Amino acid sequence: MNNSLSISLTGLKGLQQQLDSVSNNVANVNTTGYKKKDTVFQELLLNDVTGTVDVSANANDIGINRGVQVSQSRVNVSQGGLVSSKGLYDLAISGQGFFGVRGADNQLVLTRDGGFGIDQTGLLHNSSGDRLEVDYLVPQGQWPAGSPSIREDGTIFMGDQAVGKVLLFTVDNPNQLQELGNNKYGVNGAVLRTSQMSSQGFGTIKQGYLESSTVDLAESMSDMIITQRAYSMNAKVMQATDEMMQRVNEFKQ
C-alpha cells in the first residue's frame, strides 16, 4: 500500500476509536459513578530523513513516521462529585476504592455505582441484580429490626449492633481495569486489594449520597468536534492521494 494511504488509514482508525470513546463518555454524562475513558495515541515507526532531503542546518530529529495507533484506552479514576440522595442504601465513595459486586456467575467485578437496594433474600444488590460484596457478621435475615446505618469505614450497624461491613477494593494499576459495560470493571489480572483487614487507602463511604459522572460535557463536546475535524482531514488526504495515483496510472498508460 502507498505510504500516504497507509498513514492516513492509521489516522482514520485511531480517530474512529477516539470518537467512539468520546461518544460513550457523552452518553454517560448522567450515569452514576461513571468514569470517563481517555484515549492515548502512540506514533508508529519513525524513519529518519538523512542527506537525501535538503533541510535547514538548525533542524533536529527530522523524520517521517508510519502513522499513529491507539496505545491504550484507559479509565480516568478521578473523583466525581457527591450528590445527596434519599435512597436508604445509596452509597458513594470518597477516595480511590471500588465496590465489589457479584452477578449470576459469582465473578467479582468492580463498580463505583453505589445505588443499592435489598432483594427478596435480604441481600444488598444494585439495579442489575448484582450482589454487593459484604462481610456479614450477622446473616442478613437475622438482623435486628430498624434502619441500617453505614459508617464511613463500611461497618453496617443496626442500632448499636455491628452486623456487617461493606468491603472496598483497589487495584495497584488502574490502567489494567477492563471495562465490562453497565458501569462495571474487570480486574484483568491486576493486583486486587480489599478493605477487609484495613480501611486505609480505600476511601470512605458516604451513606445517602451518590457519585456523579466524571465526564465534563463541554470538554467532551470540544473533543468530539476536534476529532471529527481531524478525521475529515485524514479522509481528504486519503482521497487526494488516491486521485494523484489515478493520474500517475493514466500517464503510464
Side-chain angles (χ1 to χ4, degrees):
M1 182 183 291
N2 180 276
N3 285 343
S4 297
L5 288 176
S6 178
I7 292 172
S8 296
L9 181 60
T10 63
L12 291 176
K13 288 181 176 179
L15 290 167
Q16 182 62 60
Q17 287 182 257
Q18 184 180 31
L19 189 59
D20 292 342
S21 179
V22 174
S23 299
N24 189 56
N25 288 339
V26 172
N28 286 280
V29 67
N30 293 319
T31 300
T32 300
Y34 178 79
K35 299 298 181 183
K36 73 173 184 176
K37 293 182 65 177
D38 295 328
T39 303
V40 180
F41 287 94
Q42 180 182 31
E43 186 178 59
L44 295 179
L45 180 65
L46 182 68
N47 296 318
D48 293 333
V49 174
T50 56
T52 57
V53 178
D54 292 331
V55 295
S56 170
N58 297 324
N60 296 318
D61 300 327
I62 302 300
I64 299 175
N65 64 42
R66 303 291 294 183
V68 297
Q69 69 175 2
V70 175
S71 61
Q72 58 179 310
S73 184
R74 62 192 181 193
V75 179
N76 188 323
V77 294
S78 59
Q79 176 72 49
L82 303 187
V83 181
S84 178
S85 171
K86 296 181 180 179
L88 182 61
Y89 298 98
D90 285 344
L91 306 175
I93 301 173
S94 177
Q96 298 180 349
F98 289 83
F99 297 111
V101 295
R102 296 182 185 271
D105 59 358
N106 204 38
Q107 184 72 29
L108 178 68
V109 296
L110 307 182
T111 183
R112 292 279 292 200
D113 184 354
F116 297 110
I118 293 287
D119 63 15
Q120 295 178 349
T121 63
L123 298 176
L124 289 164
H125 68 94
N126 61 15
S127 58
S128 299
D130 302 321
R131 304 184 312 277
L132 175 64
E133 192 75 356
V134 176
D135 182 13
Y136 288 102
L137 304 176
V138 178
Q140 180 75 37
Q142 300 177 19
W143 284 8
S147 299
S149 173
I150 302 176
R151 298 188 178 178
E152 289 191 346
D153 65 352
T155 304
I156 305 173
F157 279 87
M158 295 295 291
D160 296 330
Q161 182 180 359
V163 295
K165 182 178 181 179
V166 177
L167 299 181
L168 297 182
F169 300 84
T170 62
V171 292
D172 290 340
N173 184 4
N175 292 333
Q176 291 182 294
L177 290 174
Q178 178 185 7
E179 190 173 24
L180 302 177
N182 294 324
N183 220 358
K184 295 183 290 189
Y185 304 95
V187 294
N188 196 28
V191 177
L192 187 65
R193 295 185 290 114
T194 176
S195 64
Q196 192 165 15
M197 300 301 296
S198 172
S199 299
Q200 295 184 353
F202 294 86
T204 56
I205 295 177
K206 306 291 186 182
Q207 185 179 15
Y209 287 86
L210 291 173
E211 182 182 9
S212 60
S213 169
T214 59
V215 176
D216 185 320
L217 184 58
E219 179 184 8
S220 295
M221 292 302 294
S222 297
D223 290 342
M224 182 178 292
I225 293 172
I226 293 172
T227 303
Q228 287 176 328
R229 289 179 176 175
Y231 187 95
S232 177
M233 290 177 63
N234 273 269
K236 289 179 179 179
V237 169
M238 180 173 285
Q239 181 181 5
T241 302
D242 182 61
E243 291 176 352
M244 286 190 292
M245 292 176 65
Q246 288 181 7
R247 297 293 181 270
V248 171
N249 289 334
E250 289 174 0
F251 291 145
K252 290 182 177 180
Q253 294 174 359

